Amino acid sequence: MIKISPSVLASDFSRLGDEAKKAENGGADMLHLDVMDGHFVPNISFGAPVIASIRDKTSLFFDVHLMISDPLKYAEDFAKAGADMIVFHIESDSDTDETLDRIHALGCKAGIAIKPATPAEEVIPYIRKADMILVMTVEPGFGGQSFMPETMPKVSLIRQAAAALGKDLDIQVDGGINYETVVTAAAAGANVFVAGSAVFRSPDPAAAIGTLKRNAEVKSIG
Ligand code: DX5
Ligand code: ZN
């Protein structure tokens, strides 16, 4: 199933609650919340209190992308803030199995993200246990970057590995997703699409969400 997850990183932070509602009314399936600690990535965004502050402004599924060095330590804060899914990086300092278990024990879905230079083989052993795999299509840390097509073979490899296990795995792509690159990523096997600039910098976010979804559906294999 195709899902669009607008990233609030490109939204107006002074009106975050309204922006979340705008995504919901525009047909978004999830809301992507990018948490950056200035250590795992060279940028700082926002943390759990900001997420908690908009939890009652929308009923959207909260897809929380932790770009932080120690996701195991902070998972509980994000679960309490209202995360529905917590996605952490395999390149972080936390143990992958332990972090997956902790997130599940907190009652959230758990996803694992890989940076552009990390091989698909590193995440494939966790496909059975994870609810989603996020293949970064830019270097994490900033919105508005260009999509890296060289990451697409990893999406296909992960899709094949999931199919071999008989698992209808969610595979998310994040970074530089627009009306064209969404087609490329869907053709490779992705089915969950993060879009920051393409949605929130559009004059008509609802139309942008609709177009992204339709374009992905044309090429979807997931
Ligand atoms: C990048 C973030 C992305 C970012 C995407 O580190 O993980 O979620 O907000 O922004 P766009 O869609 O503008 O590339
Ligand atoms: Zn993200």
Side-chain angles (χ1 to χ4, degrees), residues 32 34 65 67 174:
H32 189 80
D34 284 308
H65 178 195
M67 287 163 274
D174 180 10

Side-chain angles (χ1 to χ4, degrees), residues 7 23 26 31 35 45 47 55 72 74 84 91 110 126-127 130 140-141 145 148 153 163 195 210 218-219:
S7 167
L31 193 68
V35 176
S45 57
R55 183 59 285 188
L72 181 59
Y74 294 100
D84 294 293
E91 307 88 356
Y126 300 100
I127 285 178
Q145 304 181 76
M148 297 168 67
V218 171
K219 282 286 184 174

